[in-house]
């Protein structure tokens, strides 16, 4: 049975007025259209607070590349965002503001290796939202309110529709799992609910895989055949 935790609403809250104050100073900056053009309709834009080159238009979320993250010029003018990031004691792989315009929709999709069971994770802190935002994760609607802090297992299918008349803006932080985060997460759910279930294969599936590997006839394929047998 799949017992993986899909989401957590942490018992952490942030000062909404301070969040909006930092945001107000950068709303007129240049926001970059999200790069997954096929995944949404309407306007979905982003600005990076940390990136591998220190540029705010580098909004790519790349997990565990080994590249050191740098503060962007945008973060320099946002003391409260900086304070929040310093509060989280883990390596960040992406820190962005994501703005979904009124009427825009992010289509159902899943991300790669962005669940805590993979050793990486994503946090959402809503700054501006409204009751008509429909965030669906693995078939369940999540009602994320301003100033809250949520973990989302983005490996599971999720979608967002902003049916309100106000843009929705979240601070989204991707990070690498460590002892500090384990302590944070294990307060909310047992450790075994953050372990990826083993993939089981029927005998019929195994024979089909072995037959395909035999056709490949490489040393790597032959080694895999030995392991499967």
């Amino acid at each position: 049975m799949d017992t993986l935790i899909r989401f957590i609403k942490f018992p952490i809250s942030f000062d909404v007025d301070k969040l909006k104050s930092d945001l107000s100073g950068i709303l007129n900056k240049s926001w970059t259209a999200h790069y997954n053009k096929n995944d949404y309709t309407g306007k979905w834009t982003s600005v990076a607070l940390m990136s591998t080159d220190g540029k705010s238009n580098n909004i790519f979320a790349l997990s565990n590349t080994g590249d050191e993250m740098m503060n962007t010029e945008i973060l320099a003018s946002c003391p409260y965002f900086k304070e929040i990031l310093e509060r989280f004691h883990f390596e960040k792989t992406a820190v962005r503001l994501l703005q979904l315009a009124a009427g825009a929709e992010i289509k159902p999709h899943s991300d790669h290796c962005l669940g805590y069971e993979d050793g990486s994770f994503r946090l959402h802190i809503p700054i501006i939202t409204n009751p008509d935002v429909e965030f669906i994760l693995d078939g369940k609607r999540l009602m994320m309110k301003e100033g809250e802090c949520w973990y989302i297992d983005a490996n599971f299918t999720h979608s967002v529709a902003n049916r309100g008349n106000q843009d929705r803006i979240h601070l989204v932080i991707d990070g690498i799992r460590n002892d500090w985060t384990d302590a944070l997460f294990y307060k909310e759910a047992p450790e075994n609910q953050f372990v990826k279930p083993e993939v089981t294969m029927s005998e019929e599936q195994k024979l089909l895989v072995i037959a395909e590997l035999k056709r490949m006839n490489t040393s790597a394929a032959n080694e895999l055949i030995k392991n499967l047998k």
Side-chain angles (χ1 to χ4, degrees):
M1 184 179 175
D2 183 0
T3 60
L4 283 174
I5 291 292
R6 270 59 167 173
F7 63 89
I8 294 171
K9 177 181 174 285
F10 288 106
I12 301 170
S13 59
F14 297 101
D15 188 309
V16 175
D17 289 336
K18 287 184 178 180
L19 287 169
K20 291 185 177 181
S21 175
D22 272 13
L23 178 64
S24 67
I26 56 176
L27 279 173
N28 62 348
K29 302 291 184 184
S30 178
W31 291 61
T32 302
H34 199 282
Y35 45 88
N36 287 336
K37 304 288 186 186
N38 295 325
D39 281 355
Y40 64 95
T41 59
K43 191 176 179 185
W44 187 24
T45 56
S46 180
V47 64
L49 301 181
M50 295 182 74
S51 65
T52 53
D53 58 5
K55 294 179 179 175
S56 59
N57 64 351
N58 181 357
I59 62 168
F60 291 96
L62 303 170
S63 61
N64 209 6
T65 60
D67 292 334
E68 189 175 343
M69 298 293 286
M70 300 165 59
N71 294 351
T72 68
E73 76 285 0
I74 297 290
L75 184 58
S77 64
C78 301
Y80 191 55
F81 292 160
K82 198 171 180 186
E83 183 183 319
I84 290 170
L85 294 176
E86 288 170 353
R87 177 172 172 175
F88 289 122
H89 302 296
F90 56 80
E91 182 185 344
K92 285 81 174 173
T93 56
V95 181
R96 301 167 294 165
L97 295 170
L98 287 168
Q99 179 171 199
L100 188 67
E105 295 189 28
I106 302 170
K107 300 173 188 177
H109 69 286
S110 57
D111 295 294
H112 178 64
C113 289
L114 254 178
Y116 203 68
E117 65 276 8
D118 297 306
S120 56
F121 59 93
R122 174 165 290 168
L123 301 180
H124 278 253
I125 300 171
I127 302 174
I128 296 176
T129 189
N130 65 77
D132 296 316
V133 170
E134 294 180 2
F135 189 110
I136 309 295
L137 175 68
D138 196 30
K140 182 179 176 65
R141 185 178 180 187
L142 305 186
M143 301 291 288
M144 293 186 274
K145 296 177 182 176
E146 293 174 359
E148 294 179 343
C149 181
W150 290 70
Y151 157 69
I152 304 299
D153 191 331
N155 289 338
F156 290 94
T157 301
H158 53 287
S159 62
V160 193
N162 186 357
R163 306 196 190 284
N165 54 17
Q166 184 181 34
D167 294 352
R168 162 210 186 249
I169 302 177
H170 282 198
L171 170 57
V172 180
I173 306 166
D174 294 355
I176 302 295
R177 180 176 182 169
N178 64 18
D179 290 342
W180 186 89
T181 61
D182 280 351
L184 181 71
F185 277 70
Y186 296 166
K187 282 180 183 173
E188 309 306 319
E191 185 175 347
N192 62 6
Q193 291 191 276
F194 300 105
V195 178
K196 192 180 291 189
E198 286 187 27
V199 178
T200 55
M201 194 183 293
S202 69
E203 276 304 310
E204 185 182 359
Q205 289 171 321
K206 194 183 287 187
L207 290 172
L208 288 169
V209 170
I210 288 172
E212 187 61 35
L213 289 168
K214 281 181 177 175
R215 274 195 290 273
M216 291 169 67
N217 194 28
T218 64
S219 56
N222 292 333
E223 187 62 31
L224 284 170
I225 290 169
K226 266 196 324 191
N227 292 336
L228 284 168
K229 287 180 173 177

